[in-house]
């Protein structure tokens, strides 16, 4: 069973930074896709950033481009999301997900329905 666990959320003032971490249990010897989603109250789950663990095109949502950076450490099976210049609209539960395929490279957008495995999420609150 694939296990995913996020950490690193918290409260920060606008303009500040946070770095989220997501560890995934060893579940395949092949490359796979991992992504960060966020969900605010009353809103749909939004794709924030994604990558394929063997490299290639990375995905960033339009609202986070040039502010967020996603990376993966193959040695520790850990996905990171470095978030800079945070804004109040970045607030929400940040959820890590994984799937064998990186459908965003085909569709041009990262959507929740393309991911099979999910973590529980970590709360990020940005105050103005």
């Amino acid at each position: 069973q694939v296990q995913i666990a996020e950490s690193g959320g918290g409260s920060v003032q606008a303009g500040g930074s946070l770095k989220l971490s997501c560890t995934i249990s060893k579940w395949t010897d092949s490359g796979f896709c991992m992504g960060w989603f966020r969900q605010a109250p009353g809103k749909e789950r939004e794709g924030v950033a994604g990558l394929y663990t063997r490299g290639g095109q990375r995905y960033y949502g339009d609202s986070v481009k040039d502010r967020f950076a996603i990376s993966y450490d193959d040695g520790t099976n850990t996905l990171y999301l470095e978030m800079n210049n945070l804004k109040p609209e970045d607030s929400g539960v940040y959820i890590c997900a994984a799937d064998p395929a990186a459908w965003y490279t085909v569709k041009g957008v990262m959507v929740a329905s393309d991911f099979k495995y999910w973590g529980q999420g970590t709360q990020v609150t940005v105050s103005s």
Side-chain angles (χ1 to χ4, degrees), residues 47-50 58-66 68-71 81:
V48 174
R58 297 185 181 189
Y59 175 85
Y60 291 99
D62 288 341
S63 63
V64 306
K65 285 178 181 176
D66 301 322
F68 289 12
I70 189 171
S71 60
L81 183 67

Side-chain angles (χ1 to χ4, degrees), residues 16-85:
S17 299
L18 280 175
K19 187 173 183 177
L20 306 182
S21 300
C22 166
T23 57
I24 185 168
S25 57
K26 180 73 173 176
W27 62 291
T28 179
D29 290 326
S30 301
F32 54 95
C33 179
M34 290 197 75
W36 286 100
F37 289 80
R38 67 186 179 195
Q39 189 154 23
K43 293 188 177 181
E44 292 188 359
R45 192 165 291 189
E46 173 191 8
V48 174
L51 56 71
Y52 189 72
T53 59
R54 290 289 189 262
Q57 180 185 354
R58 297 185 181 189
Y59 175 85
Y60 291 99
D62 288 341
S63 63
V64 306
K65 285 178 181 176
D66 301 322
R67 298 189 298 122
F68 289 12
I70 189 171
S71 60
Y72 181 73
D73 185 333
D74 192 58
T76 60
N77 299 332
T78 303
L79 182 74
Y80 297 99
L81 183 67
E82 187 163 0
M83 306 184 293
N84 299 307
N85 190 21

Side-chain angles (χ1 to χ4, degrees), residues 105-125:
T105 62
V106 175
K107 296 181 176 182
V109 64
M110 196 172 78
V111 297
S113 57
D114 288 335
F115 285 78
K116 184 175 182 179
Y117 304 108
W118 292 87
Q120 295 298 309
T122 184
Q123 178 70 44
V124 171
T125 303

